[in-house]
Amino acid sequence: DLKVKLKFDLKTNRINFFALLIKEKRSVGHVGPGLDTVAKVVITITPKQQSAGLTAAFVKSLPEKVTPELTRLIYVSPGGRIRFQYDRCWYVTTDESKLAVLRMIDRGDLVAQCNLSPLKETGKPVTLAEFQRDVQSSLGKNFGQFVKASQSTTPSGQTMFRVVVQGTVSQLPIEWIYYLVEDDKGRGASMAFTFEQELESRFGKADRDLIANLRLTQPVAPTAAKPVKQK
């Protein structure tokens, strides 16, 4: 339920006050919790004589058309070790230092899930065969067969493993696409995409689009706490 109130200034020909009351009851969804809430938004607009940032030159420099690249979002992991751009069909549902979970929603349907984890810097490179053994071990009884396994180099010079696996979960045919990305400094990340095999056409190349924009960066150094002065 929505209730809206606004004021229109006849002298400036613009809205200078806007209030919105939202009463919502929503069941648990694919990417959000259930809600039973009332929210209120109040916006008051005051004219400004000039803007240091929004100059005529800046407005002229803006692109005339909105391209898909301009609508993409940017994910930065806690601590800043992993960074990538992603399409708006992905929703971040978990964002922790050891695990991030994204879900792909298409026309209200849950198509796929992506689990992203930073790797510990061991200083010892992992081989493709070792990565495959780790994947098979993690899937356990759900493992069926390896479909593809490849090693390549990303545009930014990182080593990348890609392993495609098919199996079953509760008698439902599932496909997993696992990635391991490492740079020459020992920094790495793993990604696991999961979706039902019948949704493969809707999933398309979503994994390649996301992984192509992944960057491994130097972790942000923690800020030292300031000492408390004793009275």
Side-chain angles (χ1 to χ4, degrees):
D1 296 330
L2 301 177
K3 290 184 178 181
V4 180
K5 181 179 180 181
L6 59 86
K7 294 181 181 179
F8 187 84
D9 191 329
L10 296 176
K11 294 182 179 180
T12 60
N13 287 325
R14 66 181 62 194
I15 296 171
N16 60 16
F17 176 84
F18 176 85
L20 172 65
L21 189 69
I22 306 172
K23 183 178 180 181
E24 183 174 6
K25 288 186 178 181
R26 184 199 308 167
S27 59
V28 177
H30 295 306
V31 295
L35 288 177
D36 186 356
T37 184
V38 176
K40 187 177 182 180
V41 179
V42 178
I43 300 174
T44 301
I45 302 171
T46 303
K48 192 173 184 180
Q49 296 300 323
Q50 63 180 27
S51 173
L54 193 61
T55 62
F58 176 78
V59 173
K60 189 176 180 180
S61 68
L62 295 175
E64 296 181 0
K65 295 182 179 180
V66 178
T67 62
E69 290 75 17
L70 292 176
T71 64
R72 297 174 69 86
L73 303 174
I74 296 177
Y75 173 80
V76 180
S77 65
R81 296 179 59 184
I82 302 172
R83 178 187 180 93
F84 59 83
Q85 295 182 9
Y86 62 100
D87 189 90
R88 289 177 179 269
C89 65
W90 290 100
Y91 294 80
V92 178
T93 60
T94 300
D95 189 16
E96 300 175 355
S97 59
K98 295 183 179 180
L99 174 67
V101 178
L102 294 87
R103 287 185 169 182
M104 180 181 178
I105 307 298
D106 179 39
R107 297 189 294 274
D109 297 331
L110 175 60
V111 176
Q113 179 168 306
C114 172
N115 290 1
L116 168 68
S117 300
L119 301 178
K120 294 181 179 180
E121 298 181 16
T122 61
K124 180 182 178 182
V126 179
T127 65
L128 178 57
E130 290 174 335
F131 183 51
Q132 286 183 258
R133 286 196 295 268
D134 291 341
V135 168
Q136 184 172 352
S137 176
S138 66
L139 290 176
K141 63 180 181 180
N142 296 325
F143 176 83
Q145 62 177 347
F146 287 111
V147 179
K148 295 179 182 179
S150 61
Q151 178 176 345
S152 59
T153 303
T154 67
S156 57
Q158 302 160 343
T159 301
M160 182 178 74
F161 298 149
R162 182 177 187 268
V163 175
V164 182
V165 182
Q166 290 181 345
T168 57
V169 176
S170 301
Q171 299 182 345
L172 187 67
I174 300 294
E175 184 162 307
W176 294 270
I177 303 179
Y178 284 86
Y179 284 90
L180 187 146
V181 181
E182 284 187 311
D183 63 12
D184 56 359
K185 297 181 181 180
R187 297 176 299 210
S190 66
M191 273 187 170
F193 296 87
T194 308
F195 54 90
E196 297 179 23
Q197 291 182 27
E198 64 177 17
L199 298 176
E200 183 178 6
S201 61
R202 295 177 68 177
F203 180 77
K205 297 181 179 180
D207 61 310
R208 296 184 182 276
D209 174 69
L210 199 153
I211 203 75
N213 293 284
L214 186 141
R215 299 292 182 269
L216 302 175
T217 56
Q218 185 66 32
V220 178
T223 303
K226 296 181 180 180
V228 180
K229 294 182 179 181
Q230 300 293 333
K231 294 183 179 180

